[in-house]
Amino acid sequence: MLKGFEEFQKVGKDGFDAYVRSFGEMNKGFQAIAAEMTDYSKKAFEDSTRVFEQLVGCKSVEQAVEIQSQYAKKAYDTYMAEMSKIGEMYVGLAKDAYKPVEAAMAKKAA
């Protein structure tokens, strides 16, 4: 009976350790995503400020339309690239967070 209790306690400890490692991986992943989003937001704000300054100084409507069109295209392309990168980061986060749980399950099955 004591051996069964010790084994039950070991399984619980292994599961808790896997949970803690998984949580740590998730935390690192979310911090990386937050840093990436902060950088993107900062760059987007700087780009929009630069475009606004160009619009204020333009001499004709055609020039204003051209500046706005170029900005819209660049902003869209940058946004799509950034969202793709963030999506890949979320996939990596999920994989990294699952590894400790997967290892604990494999250890338990063996």
Side-chain angles (χ1 to χ4, degrees), residues 22-61:
S22 177
F23 185 75
E25 290 297 323
M26 284 178 46
N27 191 20
K28 283 193 286 188
F30 284 131
Q31 286 177 353
I33 290 169
E36 185 66 32
M37 288 300 293
T38 301
D39 289 344
Y40 168 73
S41 296
K42 181 180 174 186
K43 289 175 190 172
F45 180 75
E46 290 169 353
D47 288 345
S48 65
T49 302
R50 193 174 312 112
V51 168
F52 179 74
E53 290 169 355
Q54 290 175 351
L55 286 172
V56 168
C58 68
K59 306 280 189 230
S60 67
V61 174

Side-chain angles (χ1 to χ4, degrees), residues 1-104:
M1 170 124 164
L2 186 60
K3 184 178 179 180
F5 178 73
E6 288 173 354
E7 190 166 318
F8 178 76
Q9 189 176 14
K10 183 180 181 320
V11 168
K13 182 183 179 308
D14 290 345
F16 181 75
D17 289 344
Y19 168 76
V20 169
R21 285 191 305 274
S22 177
F23 185 75
E25 290 297 323
M26 284 178 46
N27 191 20
K28 283 193 286 188
F30 284 131
Q31 286 177 353
I33 290 169
E36 185 66 32
M37 288 300 293
T38 301
D39 289 344
Y40 168 73
S41 296
K42 181 180 174 186
K43 289 175 190 172
F45 180 75
E46 290 169 353
D47 288 345
S48 65
T49 302
R50 193 174 312 112
V51 168
F52 179 74
E53 290 169 355
Q54 290 175 351
L55 286 172
V56 168
C58 68
K59 306 280 189 230
S60 67
V61 174
E62 292 82 17
Q63 187 181 15
V65 170
E66 181 64 26
I67 291 169
Q68 188 67 11
S69 296
Q70 289 174 356
Y71 171 71
K73 182 181 180 338
K74 181 182 176 191
Y76 175 77
D77 291 343
T78 304
Y79 175 80
M80 293 307 289
E82 190 66 26
M83 291 306 109
S84 177
K85 184 176 182 179
I86 295 296
E88 290 171 6
M89 290 176 79
Y90 272 112
V91 169
L93 179 147
K95 287 179 181 179
D96 291 344
Y98 183 69
K99 284 179 185 177
V101 174
E102 184 179 36

